[in-house]
Amino acid sequence: MIKEDSAKEEIVLKAQVLFQQYGLKKTTMDEIAYACGKAKSTLYHYFKSKEEVFDHVLKLEITNLRREVKKKVDAQNEVKDKIRAYFLAFHTGIMDKINLYRSVTLDIDGECLGLMGKNKDYRASNIQKFMTFERDYITRILEGAYDLGEFTKIDKDDIPFFSETLIAAFLGVMSYVIETDSLRDAEKLDKTVSLLTQQIFS
């Protein structure tokens, strides 16, 4: 089992580099196999398809990104700075891996690939898991600030709903950025996020 896990991890790490460089559509199982020094049949022993490999790569990237975001957030003291750090770090992390995240919304024959999957139930489940995780994280930040008297604009019971609204808005911005390459200017992004957080938390 340990050997099998190690082999899968190696495939995911090699594929991670290829997906980031070329995106999902242009990367093939042959190329992944070559990068791993394995036969393509070996890859199919561990993964059913290129899309399944991509799912594992994307989940790894999201885990790593969340770790970096938390580090940036924890370095701040005031709630407005924590939320600002959250959005800036998440945005920057996605822009650094734009080919990878653009593949999430790639449409082939009318179907969405990557973590979202071709199956609608699978796609909805993954979106819900992502939303729940991020909503709960923002909720913990805001509830902590509420308890300290730093954020009392809304009732504490409404904070989870407010957090979900923030995440939904952020995902909308991210989809727009991924599709159009807008807000890639770091200074413009910083100003936009600063203005928004000042309005929300002043």
Side-chain angles (χ1 to χ4, degrees):
M1 182 63 70
I2 293 175
K3 184 178 179 180
E4 185 160 316
D5 289 342
S6 178
K8 289 185 70 172
E9 182 180 3
E10 181 188 0
I11 293 169
V12 169
L13 291 175
K14 295 294 185 181
Q16 183 182 26
V17 176
L18 293 173
F19 286 134
Q20 169 55 25
Q21 187 172 358
Y22 302 111
L24 173 64
K25 186 176 181 180
K26 294 182 179 179
T27 301
T28 67
M29 287 292 269
D30 284 313
E31 290 168 334
I32 297 172
Y34 180 80
C36 296
K38 300 180 185 298
K40 188 165 68 170
S41 59
T42 302
L43 266 64
Y44 282 111
H45 172 73
Y46 297 108
F47 301 97
K48 295 177 181 178
S49 65
K50 177 179 70 172
E51 288 72 35
E52 186 175 338
V53 178
F54 182 79
D55 276 357
H56 281 75
V57 169
L58 193 57
K59 288 170 183 175
L60 174 64
E61 285 289 350
I62 290 174
T63 297
N64 292 338
L65 178 56
R66 281 170 171 161
R67 187 179 297 116
E68 288 301 311
V69 169
K70 185 177 186 302
K71 188 186 302 181
K72 296 290 179 62
V73 170
D74 289 348
Q76 307 301 320
N77 294 315
E78 296 185 18
V79 63
K80 65 180 179 62
D81 294 327
K82 287 181 178 291
I83 298 300
R84 178 176 175 275
Y86 172 87
F87 287 121
L88 283 175
F90 225 118
H91 184 104
T92 302
I94 288 175
M95 295 311 297
D96 286 345
K97 302 288 179 68
I98 190 66
N99 282 336
L100 189 67
Y101 289 100
R102 183 177 283 121
S103 296
V104 177
T105 57
L106 181 65
D107 189 272
I108 297 178
D109 296 330
E111 294 289 353
C112 196
L113 298 178
L115 182 66
M116 303 310 177
K118 291 185 177 182
N119 181 282
K120 289 183 179 180
D121 291 336
Y122 174 73
R123 182 163 66 243
S125 174
N126 276 293
I127 293 173
Q128 187 58 50
K129 287 177 183 176
F130 179 89
M131 285 289 293
T132 299
F133 186 99
E134 301 304 325
R135 180 203 63 200
D136 291 348
Y137 181 60
I138 295 297
T139 295
R140 289 194 296 272
I141 293 174
L142 296 181
E143 286 181 341
Y146 183 94
D147 292 340
L148 293 172
E150 189 182 353
F151 179 66
T152 56
K153 277 192 165 185
I154 61 176
D155 293 336
K156 190 172 184 178
D157 289 344
D158 291 330
I159 287 178
F161 174 76
F162 180 72
S163 299
E164 189 166 0
T165 302
L166 284 179
I167 296 303
F170 177 64
L171 287 179
V173 171
M174 283 295 93
S175 294
Y176 176 73
V177 168
I178 289 169
E179 291 299 321
T180 65
D181 283 344
S182 299
L183 286 180
R184 296 200 72 165
D185 184 288
E187 185 175 343
K188 182 179 179 182
L189 172 64
D190 186 272
K191 184 175 182 179
T192 300
V193 173
S194 295
L195 287 172
L196 288 173
T197 51
Q198 284 173 15
Q199 290 298 315
I200 294 172
F201 298 102
S202 62

